[in-house]
Amino acid sequence: MDILSILYTIVPAALIAATPLLFTALGGLFSERAGIVNIGLEGLMVIGAFSGILATLWFETLGMGAASPWLALLVAMVVGAVFSLFHAVASITLRADQIVSGVALNFLAVGLSVFLVREIFERGQTDYISARIFRINVPFLSDIPVLGPMFFSRIYVTTYIAFILAVIVWYVVFKTPFGLRLRSVGEHPMAADTMGIKVNRMRYIAVMLSGAFGGIGGAVFAITTAGNFAGNTIVGQGFMALAALIFGKWHPFGVMGAALFFGLAQALSISAQQIPALAQIPQVYMLILPYVLTILALAGFVGKAEGPKAIGKPYEKGSR
Amino acid sequence: MSDNQKKTKQVLTGLAIPLIAIAFGFLAGAVIMLLSGNNPITGYTALIQGVIGDRYYFGETLQRMTPLIFSGLAVAFAFRTGLLNIGVEGQLIVGWLAAVYVGVAMDAPMIVHLPLAILAGAIAGGLWGFVPGILKARFQVHEVIVTIMMNYVALHVSNSIIRTYLLASGQRTDFINSSASLESDFLSSLTDFSRLHWGFFIAIAAAIFMWFYLWKTSKGFELRAVGYNKHASSYAGMNVNTNIVLSMVISGAFAGIGGAMVGLGTYQYANILPSFTNLGFDGIAVALLGASTSIGIILSAFLFGGLKEGASNMQAAAGVAPELVEIIIALIIFFVASSYLIRWIMTRLQNNKEGK
């Protein structure tokens, strides 16, 4: 295999693997920028994958055909946002420990979705969906030599949506009044409150956004890659999205880079055996690479990752 | 109100919150059963029968409790020093592998072999706890994220070691030598041939050890002081950083021994794990419900171990999917974590009473 054909396999695979991570991590960015830790991203992806597959199957029986998975993504978005309310109510209104509440959310998501799958399908997994989101070649762009086959051929539309979304999120968080309020609530809630920003309302919105994006992230993975839902459809992607969020230093473009990098590590761990130069490296190194890098990033070896100041603390009016 | 009365009242509130949380959790479970077309009474009867209805079930419940006690102790111990150790899962996995490795690779009389195998588990878990501890102490890195990442590293590395060096048949290592085994014919026959093993008593002993260490030694006092107030402890001349590292190492060692119990007692081998065991994550629930006290951890390990064991009978006898207990456990954590709500309701009720 020559280097180009290797790249033609690896790069699209990396882009596709990065997509659900990017969606979910961008969601986590809203929540954490507003000062709410979201360990529950994993659970939100689980619930998104579950509702995405279920909705696709349902729309198929209604005769929606090729539109089913797209409508299902919307359903997953809404379900994710509603489900994240558990985390929001517990950690914002009831001042629960945000990490514990996130852990509980993960438990609840797996328990509830697999329970429902068993009740509906009477076994541990759902049927496979038949209406899929297919890979496309982008007109014109895919004809560009070298870059075309790498970035614009045989890639899901959802991948492009995720990358466009990263730009939109950057604009919203850094260039709009809403984004300024969101960040101020995460950095110094008391100052924000003094300026008339409703701290808890902003935080609710942020957590629900993370739920919506996490739901889409999970559904995208289930619909494009897995094809059905079972208890082991989402294993660790949510935590990897969290890692991408931190490794990307809570910045949309950093998150995009981190998601791409983790996607590349994932793609390499699967196809390294076919690449002569990499075949010697045991697969385990590729598997643990994203996690080790995140630890190193946090320790400051790969540039210090520092989160929003007020992260993890519930806001009580009048407290100092 | 005298001091004594105040204290009794505090203890009562402390007891009421977990009990109310458990009640809420079961209530929600009943509602879910009703909504999904099951009879909650039949469901819960089958669940309870699946725990105490048979000597075998009861033995298996105690067997399930064993690693849960250890993971609960691990979470609680770190929590007392103000650290949240989400990495118990990974520490447990490496402890399991290390203990089994010593059990397989060595041949020695039991009096040497078994303690050595357990020690190997403790050391492996302690090492896995050392990394987030030192990063927290040295670079102020939040331990939660590091421990989560360490979980995945543990899972992949352990699987890879088993796959490359220790694979005996299918997905697992060789059985450990009997000189490193915690198996007990006596306990097993007592409980109708369940997998109950001596590890259960080691777990109880560990719980007593944690109580003694934290509350009766000066080192334990230091650890708790750091948990209450870092700055005050530092001002009083305690070395905060050393205590943070020590706390994570001991916490990891608890988790590692928990893994050793699973490897040396329940299964007698280690296998390639397709995903997490969840024993470590359940430890968060156990510690939280048990209010990070030794006795509370034993009781809540019994509750969660029982729920998990009873779930299979609930499915067999009442046709309720076993994942229901996961939902109940998640909701119990929610309610304990949101104890603000329960406190608020309790004060409201009290004020109403006093207002009359």
Side-chain angles (χ1 to χ4, degrees):
Chain A
M1 254 165 113
D2 63 303
I3 187 87
L4 266 186
S5 61
I6 291 169
L7 283 177
Y8 293 163
T9 342
I10 292 288
V11 174
L15 287 174
I16 289 166
T19 307
L21 298 182
L22 185 51
F23 272 118
T24 311
L26 287 173
L29 190 140
F30 279 111
S31 161
E32 302 222 336
R33 277 282 181 179
I36 304 291
V37 183
N38 205 340
I39 305 272
L41 289 178
E42 174 88 3
L44 294 168
M45 280 187 88
V46 170
I47 234 46
F50 164 75
S51 51
I53 290 291
L54 223 62
T56 309
L57 289 169
W58 188 59
F59 287 126
E60 276 173 11
T61 59
L62 290 182
M64 297 293 204
S68 315
W70 294 102
L71 294 170
L73 284 183
L74 291 179
V75 173
M77 184 176 90
V78 174
V79 173
V82 171
F83 194 70
S84 69
L85 277 174
F86 264 106
H87 186 47
V89 171
S91 61
I92 301 169
T93 307
L94 301 179
R95 298 172 204 170
D97 188 300
Q98 296 172 7
I99 289 157
V100 173
S101 150
V103 169
L105 191 83
N106 291 338
F107 274 125
L108 187 65
V110 177
L112 194 63
S113 57
V114 180
F115 177 80
L116 289 174
V117 166
R118 270 196 215 282
E119 289 291 326
I120 298 168
F121 296 89
E122 296 186 340
R123 59 200 161 100
Q125 59 181 46
T126 67
D127 298 334
Y128 277 86
I129 56 171
S130 42
R132 301 287 278 266
I133 293 176
F134 288 105
R135 301 180 178 208
I136 55 150
N137 294 329
V138 183
F140 308 116
L141 291 176
S142 62
D143 297 332
I144 303 172
V146 186
L147 292 182
M150 259 194 258
F151 296 107
F152 302 109
S153 297
R154 298 193 36 69
I155 288 180
Y156 300 108
V157 183
T158 43
T159 303
Y160 299 118
I161 296 176
F163 283 90
I164 294 167
L165 197 65
V167 180
I168 296 174
V169 168
W170 167 78
Y171 183 81
V172 168
V173 171
F174 289 101
K175 299 287 164 195
T176 63
F178 171 81
L180 183 65
R181 284 178 199 141
L182 183 90
R183 285 180 291 135
S184 70
V185 161
E187 291 289 336
H188 201 313
M190 198 164 68
D193 197 7
T194 318
M195 297 306 289
I197 298 168
K198 293 204 165 53
V199 174
N200 285 353
R201 194 170 74 183
M202 282 307 290
R203 288 185 163 182
Y204 262 91
I205 294 170
V207 172
M208 286 180 78
L209 278 173
S210 80
F213 283 30
I216 295 179
V220 163
F221 181 81
I223 290 171
T224 59
T225 310
N228 77 339
F229 176 82
N232 60 0
T233 301
I234 303 289
V235 275
Q237 286 96 327
F239 285 116
M240 207 185 271
L242 187 71
L245 175 62
I246 296 160
F247 192 50
K249 303 193 177 74
W250 292 272
H251 190 285
F253 294 142
V255 168
M256 189 163 84
L260 265 176
F261 187 72
F262 292 172
L264 185 69
Q266 246 176 4
L268 281 176
S269 76
I270 295 162
S271 50
Q273 303 306 318
Q274 297 150 20
I275 303 166
L278 295 173
Q280 307 301 321
I281 304 172
Q283 193 193 13
V284 63
Y285 290 114
M286 297 294 173
L287 287 173
I288 63 173
L289 191 66
Y291 308 113
V292 172
L293 276 174
T294 306
I295 294 175
L296 291 178
L298 280 165
F301 296 122
V302 200
K304 184 91 182 144
E306 238 176 290
K309 290 272 178 322
I311 201 159
K313 296 181 201 108
Y315 177 65
E316 289 170 53
K317 252 188 199 298
S319 69
R320 284 195 297 156
Chain B
M1 207 186 292
S2 75
D3 269 3
N4 236 347
Q5 267 176 320
K6 238 183 213 163
K7 213 169 180 187
T8 349
K9 207 179 149 198
Q10 261 179 358
V11 171
L12 279 180
T13 330
L15 272 176
I17 286 169
L19 289 179
I20 293 172
I22 293 169
F24 277 170
F26 276 95
L27 204 65
V31 172
I32 292 170
M33 277 199 260
L34 269 179
L35 291 178
S36 61
N38 295 294
N39 183 342
I41 296 171
T42 344
Y44 281 139
T45 314
L47 180 76
I48 293 167
Q49 253 162 8
V51 184
I52 51 170
D54 191 306
R55 274 189 300 162
Y56 173 81
Y57 290 148
F58 194 67
E60 280 291 302
T61 300
L62 297 185
Q63 178 269 114
R64 275 177 197 269
M65 270 176 78
T66 307
L68 287 181
I69 291 176
F70 274 106
S71 55
L73 291 174
V75 174
F77 195 90
F79 190 71
R80 288 283 180 194
T81 320
L83 301 163
L84 196 50
N85 183 3
I86 308 269
V88 172
E89 181 73 32
Q91 292 146 12
L92 189 138
I93 290 173
V94 293
W96 179 351
L97 177 64
V100 166
Y101 175 74
V102 171
V104 171
M106 261 183 60
D107 233 336
M110 188 177 240
I111 191 131
V112 185
H113 197 181
L114 180 58
L116 214 59
I118 296 174
L119 187 70
I123 291 174
L127 265 177
W128 228 253
F130 175 76
V131 175
I134 194 82
L135 288 176
K136 168 97 180 183
R138 179 82 179 71
F139 301 103
Q140 286 80 47
V141 183
H142 203 295
E143 72 281 3
V144 166
I145 305 293
V146 179
T147 48
I148 288 174
M149 302 300 142
M150 291 291 286
N151 283 341
Y152 285 94
V153 177
L155 180 71
H156 291 306
V157 168
S158 303
N159 281 350
S160 156
I161 289 175
I162 295 174
R163 194 173 288 128
T164 341
Y165 303 109
L166 299 170
L167 211 58
S169 76
Q171 298 283 301
R172 62 167 178 79
T173 66
D174 257 327
F175 284 106
I176 54 168
N177 295 324
S178 58
S179 54
S181 174
L182 284 166
E183 231 174 10
S184 153
D185 290 336
F186 168 68
L187 291 175
S188 178
S189 63
L190 205 65
T191 53
D192 210 4
F193 304 105
S194 76
R195 289 175 296 174
L196 181 63
H197 53 82
W198 293 118
F200 177 72
F201 297 100
I202 302 180
I204 302 289
I208 296 169
F209 169 78
M210 183 183 92
W211 166 79
F212 184 82
Y213 188 77
L214 278 178
W215 300 96
K216 300 290 164 201
T217 69
S218 60
K219 199 70 214 167
F221 175 77
E222 267 193 38
L223 288 170
R224 284 187 294 121
V226 169
Y228 278 124
N229 191 334
K230 253 190 242 182
H231 306 293
S233 327
S234 172
Y235 189 68
M238 300 173 190
N239 189 334
V240 173
N241 283 344
T242 318
N243 279 310
I244 285 175
V245 177
L246 181 73
S247 169
M248 280 306 285
V249 168
I250 295 178
S251 166
F254 271 125
I257 300 176
M261 296 301 116
V262 180
L264 305 175
T266 313
Y267 292 108
Q268 314 281 318
Y269 57 80
N271 58 321
I272 295 174
L273 298 167
S275 62
F276 286 129
T277 63
N278 276 340
L279 290 170
F281 294 121
D282 289 339
I284 302 166
V286 170
L288 197 67
L289 186 65
S292 297
T293 60
S294 290
I295 184 77
I297 285 167
I298 295 174
L299 291 176
S300 51
F302 179 70
L303 177 73
F304 291 145
L307 276 174
K308 280 168 186 266
E309 179 59 32
S312 41
N313 191 54
M314 186 175 70
Q315 186 179 29
V320 181
E323 282 73 21
L324 182 76
V325 303
E326 309 287 334
I327 302 176
I328 295 175
I329 291 176
L331 290 174
I332 292 176
I333 308 178
F334 260 120
F335 288 124
V336 178
S338 310
S339 60
Y340 179 74
L341 174 74
I342 297 173
R343 277 176 214 278
W344 185 78
I345 294 173
M346 277 166 53
T347 24
R348 277 306 280 273
L349 288 177
Q350 208 142 37
N351 287 351
N352 277 353
K353 230 192 250 164
E354 275 162 19
K356 252 191 264 175

